[in-house]
PDB file of all heavy atoms in Angstrom:
ATOM      1  N   THR A   1       0.831  -1.204   0.000  1.00 92.00           N
ATOM      2  CA  THR A   1       0.000   0.000   0.000  1.00 92.00           C
ATOM      3  C   THR A   1       0.863   1.250   0.000  1.00 92.00           C
ATOM      4  O   THR A   1       0.644   2.178  -0.792  1.00 92.00           O
ATOM      5  CB  THR A   1      -0.941   0.009   1.214  1.00 92.00           C
ATOM      6  OG1 THR A   1      -1.848  -1.089   1.115  1.00 92.00           O
ATOM      7  CG2 THR A   1      -1.739   1.303   1.290  1.00 92.00           C
ATOM      8  N   TRP A   2       1.848   1.304   0.871  1.00 90.00           N
ATOM      9  CA  TRP A   2       2.709   2.487   0.924  1.00 90.00           C
ATOM     10  C   TRP A   2       3.460   2.680  -0.385  1.00 90.00           C
ATOM     11  O   TRP A   2       3.618   3.807  -0.865  1.00 90.00           O
ATOM     12  CB  TRP A   2       3.684   2.368   2.088  1.00 90.00           C
ATOM     13  CG  TRP A   2       3.374   3.331   3.202  1.00 90.00           C
ATOM     14  CD1 TRP A   2       2.558   4.417   3.140  1.00 90.00           C
ATOM     15  CD2 TRP A   2       3.882   3.297   4.535  1.00 90.00           C
ATOM     16  NE1 TRP A   2       2.516   5.060   4.344  1.00 90.00           N
ATOM     17  CE2 TRP A   2       3.320   4.392   5.224  1.00 90.00           C
ATOM     18  CE3 TRP A   2       4.749   2.443   5.208  1.00 90.00           C
ATOM     19  CZ2 TRP A   2       3.611   4.669   6.554  1.00 90.00           C
ATOM     20  CZ3 TRP A   2       5.034   2.722   6.535  1.00 90.00           C
ATOM     21  CH2 TRP A   2       4.475   3.815   7.200  1.00 90.00           C
ATOM     22  N   GLN A   3       3.908   1.607  -0.977  1.00 89.00           N
ATOM     23  CA  GLN A   3       4.665   1.727  -2.225  1.00 89.00           C
ATOM     24  C   GLN A   3       3.798   2.245  -3.369  1.00 89.00           C
ATOM     25  O   GLN A   3       4.248   3.067  -4.174  1.00 89.00           O
ATOM     26  CB  GLN A   3       5.271   0.370  -2.591  1.00 89.00           C
ATOM     27  CG  GLN A   3       6.363  -0.095  -1.640  1.00 89.00           C
ATOM     28  CD  GLN A   3       6.743  -1.546  -1.810  1.00 89.00           C
ATOM     29  OE1 GLN A   3       6.268  -2.210  -2.727  1.00 89.00           O
ATOM     30  NE2 GLN A   3       7.579  -2.058  -0.933  1.00 89.00           N
ATOM     31  N   THR A   4       2.561   1.776  -3.440  1.00 84.00           N
ATOM     32  CA  THR A   4       1.712   2.157  -4.568  1.00 84.00           C
ATOM     33  C   THR A   4       1.053   3.523  -4.387  1.00 84.00           C
ATOM     34  O   THR A   4       0.567   4.098  -5.358  1.00 84.00           O
ATOM     35  CB  THR A   4       0.613   1.104  -4.799  1.00 84.00           C
ATOM     36  OG1 THR A   4      -0.162   0.945  -3.606  1.00 84.00           O
ATOM     37  CG2 THR A   4       1.235  -0.239  -5.166  1.00 84.00           C
ATOM     38  N   LEU A   5       1.050   4.072  -3.169  1.00 82.00           N
ATOM     39  CA  LEU A   5       0.380   5.345  -2.923  1.00 82.00           C
ATOM     40  C   LEU A   5       1.300   6.556  -3.043  1.00 82.00           C
ATOM     41  O   LEU A   5       0.851   7.682  -2.880  1.00 82.00           O
ATOM     42  CB  LEU A   5      -0.264   5.343  -1.536  1.00 82.00           C
ATOM     43  CG  LEU A   5      -1.504   4.454  -1.396  1.00 82.00           C
ATOM     44  CD1 LEU A   5      -2.020   4.495   0.020  1.00 82.00           C
ATOM     45  CD2 LEU A   5      -2.585   4.904  -2.368  1.00 82.00           C
ATOM     46  N   LEU A   6       2.562   6.341  -3.363  1.00 84.00           N
ATOM     47  CA  LEU A   6       3.476   7.477  -3.435  1.00 84.00           C
ATOM     48  C   LEU A   6       3.035   8.505  -4.473  1.00 84.00           C
ATOM     49  O   LEU A   6       3.095   9.709  -4.235  1.00 84.00           O
ATOM     50  CB  LEU A   6       4.894   6.996  -3.767  1.00 84.00           C
ATOM     51  CG  LEU A   6       5.776   6.548  -2.597  1.00 84.00           C
ATOM     52  CD1 LEU A   6       7.143   6.160  -3.116  1.00 84.00           C
ATOM     53  CD2 LEU A   6       5.883   7.617  -1.531  1.00 84.00           C
ATOM     54  N   SER A   7       2.604   8.038  -5.642  1.00 81.00           N
ATOM     55  CA  SER A   7       2.211   8.990  -6.688  1.00 81.00           C
ATOM     56  C   SER A   7       0.997   9.797  -6.253  1.00 81.00           C
ATOM     57  O   SER A   7       0.918  11.002  -6.516  1.00 81.00           O
ATOM     58  CB  SER A   7       1.933   8.260  -8.004  1.00 81.00           C
ATOM     59  OG  SER A   7       0.879   7.328  -7.841  1.00 81.00           O
ATOM     60  N   GLY A   8       0.038   9.153  -5.573  1.00 80.00           N
ATOM     61  CA  GLY A   8      -1.121   9.874  -5.071  1.00 80.00           C
ATOM     62  C   GLY A   8      -0.741  10.894  -4.020  1.00 80.00           C
ATOM     63  O   GLY A   8      -1.291  11.996  -3.978  1.00 80.00           O
ATOM     64  N   ASN A   9       0.214  10.543  -3.158  1.00 81.00           N
ATOM     65  CA  ASN A   9       0.675  11.486  -2.141  1.00 81.00           C
ATOM     66  C   ASN A   9       1.361  12.693  -2.775  1.00 81.00           C
ATOM     67  O   ASN A   9       1.224  13.831  -2.311  1.00 81.00           O
ATOM     68  CB  ASN A   9       1.636  10.788  -1.184  1.00 81.00           C
ATOM     69  CG  ASN A   9       0.926   9.800  -0.274  1.00 81.00           C
ATOM     70  OD1 ASN A   9      -0.301   9.806  -0.190  1.00 81.00           O
ATOM     71  ND2 ASN A   9       1.690   8.956   0.388  1.00 81.00           N
ATOM     72  N   LEU A  10       2.101  12.459  -3.848  1.00 82.00           N
ATOM     73  CA  LEU A  10       2.742  13.566  -4.555  1.00 82.00           C
ATOM     74  C   LEU A  10       1.700  14.531  -5.118  1.00 82.00           C
ATOM     75  O   LEU A  10       1.816  15.744  -4.984  1.00 82.00           O
ATOM     76  CB  LEU A  10       3.603  13.014  -5.691  1.00 82.00           C
ATOM     77  CG  LEU A  10       5.056  12.684  -5.390  1.00 82.00           C
ATOM     78  CD1 LEU A  10       5.684  11.970  -6.579  1.00 82.00           C
ATOM     79  CD2 LEU A  10       5.850  13.924  -5.048  1.00 82.00           C
ATOM     80  N   LYS A  11       0.688  13.979  -5.761  1.00 78.00           N
ATOM     81  CA  LYS A  11      -0.360  14.831  -6.310  1.00 78.00           C
ATOM     82  C   LYS A  11      -1.052  15.619  -5.209  1.00 78.00           C
ATOM     83  O   LYS A  11      -1.380  16.794  -5.372  1.00 78.00           O
ATOM     84  CB  LYS A  11      -1.372  13.983  -7.075  1.00 78.00           C
ATOM     85  CG  LYS A  11      -0.883  13.501  -8.425  1.00 78.00           C
ATOM     86  CD  LYS A  11      -1.995  12.790  -9.178  1.00 78.00           C
ATOM     87  CE  LYS A  11      -1.563  12.380 -10.572  1.00 78.00           C
ATOM     88  NZ  LYS A  11      -2.656  11.718 -11.321  1.00 78.00           N
ATOM     89  N   GLN A  12      -1.289  14.956  -4.089  1.00 78.00           N
ATOM     90  CA  GLN A  12      -1.957  15.641  -2.987  1.00 78.00           C
ATOM     91  C   GLN A  12      -1.097  16.772  -2.440  1.00 78.00           C
ATOM     92  O   GLN A  12      -1.596  17.832  -2.065  1.00 78.00           O
ATOM     93  CB  GLN A  12      -2.281  14.646  -1.873  1.00 78.00           C
ATOM     94  CG  GLN A  12      -3.126  15.264  -0.767  1.00 78.00           C
ATOM     95  CD  GLN A  12      -3.530  14.244   0.264  1.00 78.00           C
ATOM     96  OE1 GLN A  12      -2.705  13.455   0.706  1.00 78.00           O
ATOM     97  NE2 GLN A  12      -4.787  14.253   0.645  1.00 78.00           N
ATOM     98  N   ALA A  13       0.234  16.551  -2.400  1.00 76.00           N
ATOM     99  CA  ALA A  13       1.135  17.599  -1.929  1.00 76.00           C
ATOM    100  C   ALA A  13       1.069  18.837  -2.817  1.00 76.00           C
ATOM    101  O   ALA A  13       1.362  19.940  -2.376  1.00 76.00           O
ATOM    102  CB  ALA A  13       2.566  17.069  -1.876  1.00 76.00           C
ATOM    103  N   LEU A  14       0.673  18.647  -4.076  1.00 75.00           N
ATOM    104  CA  LEU A  14       0.536  19.767  -5.014  1.00 75.00           C
ATOM    105  C   LEU A  14      -0.915  20.221  -5.140  1.00 75.00           C
ATOM    106  O   LEU A  14      -1.243  20.963  -6.059  1.00 75.00           O
ATOM    107  CB  LEU A  14       1.068  19.351  -6.388  1.00 75.00           C
ATOM    108  CG  LEU A  14       2.573  19.106  -6.468  1.00 75.00           C
ATOM    109  CD1 LEU A  14       2.950  18.555  -7.826  1.00 75.00           C
ATOM    110  CD2 LEU A  14       3.341  20.380  -6.188  1.00 75.00           C
ATOM    111  N   GLY A  15      -1.779  19.757  -4.259  1.00 69.00           N
ATOM    112  CA  GLY A  15      -3.187  20.134  -4.329  1.00 69.00           C
ATOM    113  C   GLY A  15      -3.887  19.575  -5.542  1.00 69.00           C
ATOM    114  O   GLY A  15      -4.874  20.136  -6.015  1.00 69.00           O
ATOM    115  N   GLY A  16      -3.370  18.463  -6.074  1.00 60.00           N
ATOM    116  CA  GLY A  16      -3.989  17.841  -7.239  1.00 60.00           C
ATOM    117  C   GLY A  16      -3.703  18.554  -8.539  1.00 60.00           C
ATOM    118  O   GLY A  16      -4.289  18.229  -9.572  1.00 60.00           O
ATOM    119  N   ALA A  17      -2.768  19.533  -8.505  1.00 64.00           N
ATOM    120  CA  ALA A  17      -2.524  20.355  -9.697  1.00 64.00           C
ATOM    121  C   ALA A  17      -1.460  19.804 -10.624  1.00 64.00           C
ATOM    122  O   ALA A  17      -1.198  20.380 -11.665  1.00 64.00           O
ATOM    123  CB  ALA A  17      -2.118  21.769  -9.258  1.00 64.00           C
ATOM    124  N   ALA A  18      -0.838  18.711 -10.267  1.00 61.00           N
ATOM    125  CA  ALA A  18       0.260  18.195 -11.083  1.00 61.00           C
ATOM    126  C   ALA A  18      -0.241  17.699 -12.428  1.00 61.00           C
ATOM    127  O   ALA A  18      -1.258  17.021 -12.524  1.00 61.00           O
ATOM    128  CB  ALA A  18       0.980  17.066 -10.355  1.00 61.00           C
ATOM    129  N   ALA A  19       0.491  18.053 -13.472  1.00 67.00           N
ATOM    130  CA  ALA A  19       0.137  17.586 -14.806  1.00 67.00           C
ATOM    131  C   ALA A  19       0.707  16.212 -15.085  1.00 67.00           C
ATOM    132  O   ALA A  19       0.234  15.493 -15.955  1.00 67.00           O
ATOM    133  CB  ALA A  19       0.638  18.579 -15.847  1.00 67.00           C
ATOM    134  N   GLU A  20       1.739  15.820 -14.352  1.00 80.00           N
ATOM    135  CA  GLU A  20       2.434  14.574 -14.656  1.00 80.00           C
ATOM    136  C   GLU A  20       3.082  14.024 -13.394  1.00 80.00           C
ATOM    137  O   GLU A  20       3.589  14.772 -12.561  1.00 80.00           O
ATOM    138  CB  GLU A  20       3.524  14.836 -15.707  1.00 80.00           C
ATOM    139  CG  GLU A  20       4.354  13.613 -16.074  1.00 80.00           C
ATOM    140  CD  GLU A  20       5.500  13.979 -17.005  1.00 80.00           C
ATOM    141  OE1 GLU A  20       5.581  15.147 -17.439  1.00 80.00           O
ATOM    142  OE2 GLU A  20       6.325  13.094 -17.276  1.00 80.00           O
ATOM    143  N   VAL A  21       3.033  12.697 -13.237  1.00 85.00           N
ATOM    144  CA  VAL A  21       3.836  12.016 -12.232  1.00 85.00           C
ATOM    145  C   VAL A  21       4.858  11.183 -12.990  1.00 85.00           C
ATOM    146  O   VAL A  21       4.491  10.315 -13.784  1.00 85.00           O
ATOM    147  CB  VAL A  21       2.992  11.128 -11.304  1.00 85.00           C
ATOM    148  CG1 VAL A  21       3.900  10.337 -10.363  1.00 85.00           C
ATOM    149  CG2 VAL A  21       2.014  11.969 -10.498  1.00 85.00           C
ATOM    150  N   ALA A  22       6.123  11.485 -12.785  1.00 88.00           N
ATOM    151  CA  ALA A  22       7.189  10.849 -13.554  1.00 88.00           C
ATOM    152  C   ALA A  22       8.050   9.977 -12.653  1.00 88.00           C
ATOM    153  O   ALA A  22       8.254  10.281 -11.476  1.00 88.00           O
ATOM    154  CB  ALA A  22       8.064  11.913 -14.223  1.00 88.00           C
ATOM    155  N   THR A  23       8.555   8.895 -13.216  1.00 92.00           N
ATOM    156  CA  THR A  23       9.514   8.038 -12.527  1.00 92.00           C
ATOM    157  C   THR A  23      10.914   8.560 -12.809  1.00 92.00           C
ATOM    158  O   THR A  23      11.356   8.567 -13.955  1.00 92.00           O
ATOM    159  CB  THR A  23       9.385   6.583 -13.002  1.00 92.00           C
ATOM    160  OG1 THR A  23       8.074   6.099 -12.697  1.00 92.00           O
ATOM    161  CG2 THR A  23      10.409   5.694 -12.314  1.00 92.00           C
ATOM    162  N   VAL A  24      11.603   9.022 -11.760  1.00 93.00           N
ATOM    163  CA  VAL A  24      12.951   9.532 -11.938  1.00 93.00           C
ATOM    164  C   VAL A  24      13.923   8.373 -12.137  1.00 93.00           C
ATOM    165  O   VAL A  24      14.800   8.411 -13.003  1.00 93.00           O
ATOM    166  CB  VAL A  24      13.371  10.396 -10.738  1.00 93.00           C
ATOM    167  CG1 VAL A  24      14.786  10.949 -10.936  1.00 93.00           C
ATOM    168  CG2 VAL A  24      12.377  11.546 -10.546  1.00 93.00           C
ATOM    169  N   SER A  25      13.773   7.334 -11.339  1.00 92.00           N
ATOM    170  CA  SER A  25      14.545   6.107 -11.534  1.00 92.00           C
ATOM    171  C   SER A  25      13.652   4.928 -11.194  1.00 92.00           C
ATOM    172  O   SER A  25      12.752   5.034 -10.357  1.00 92.00           O
ATOM    173  CB  SER A  25      15.811   6.100 -10.674  1.00 92.00           C
ATOM    174  OG  SER A  25      15.494   6.211  -9.307  1.00 92.00           O
ATOM    175  N   GLU A  26      13.877   3.808 -11.846  1.00 93.00           N
ATOM    176  CA  GLU A  26      13.022   2.643 -11.669  1.00 93.00           C
ATOM    177  C   GLU A  26      13.124   2.095 -10.247  1.00 93.00           C
ATOM    178  O   GLU A  26      14.185   2.183  -9.608  1.00 93.00           O
ATOM    179  CB  GLU A  26      13.403   1.552 -12.671  1.00 93.00           C
ATOM    180  CG  GLU A  26      13.156   1.937 -14.124  1.00 93.00           C
ATOM    181  CD  GLU A  26      11.698   2.212 -14.415  1.00 93.00           C
ATOM    182  OE1 GLU A  26      10.836   1.531 -13.813  1.00 93.00           O
ATOM    183  OE2 GLU A  26      11.410   3.105 -15.228  1.00 93.00           O
ATOM    184  N   ALA A  27      12.028   1.527  -9.754  1.00 94.00           N
ATOM    185  CA  ALA A  27      12.029   0.915  -8.430  1.00 94.00           C
ATOM    186  C   ALA A  27      13.058  -0.206  -8.374  1.00 94.00           C
ATOM    187  O   ALA A  27      13.252  -0.940  -9.352  1.00 94.00           O
ATOM    188  CB  ALA A  27      10.639   0.371  -8.103  1.00 94.00           C
TER     189      ALA A  27
END
């Protein structure tokens, strides 16, 4: 759960305004 929710947490940190969630380096 924690691993898969990181992208959602990022969007929430930006108030849902992010246009893109990008992978900087592979898991």
Side-chain angles (χ1 to χ4, degrees):
T1 296
W2 250 345
Q3 292 167 6
T4 57
L5 288 178
L6 274 182
S7 60
N9 289 347
L10 270 172
K11 285 186 176 181
Q12 187 175 46
L14 293 174
E20 178 186 354
V21 175
T23 298
V24 181
S25 59
E26 295 298 325

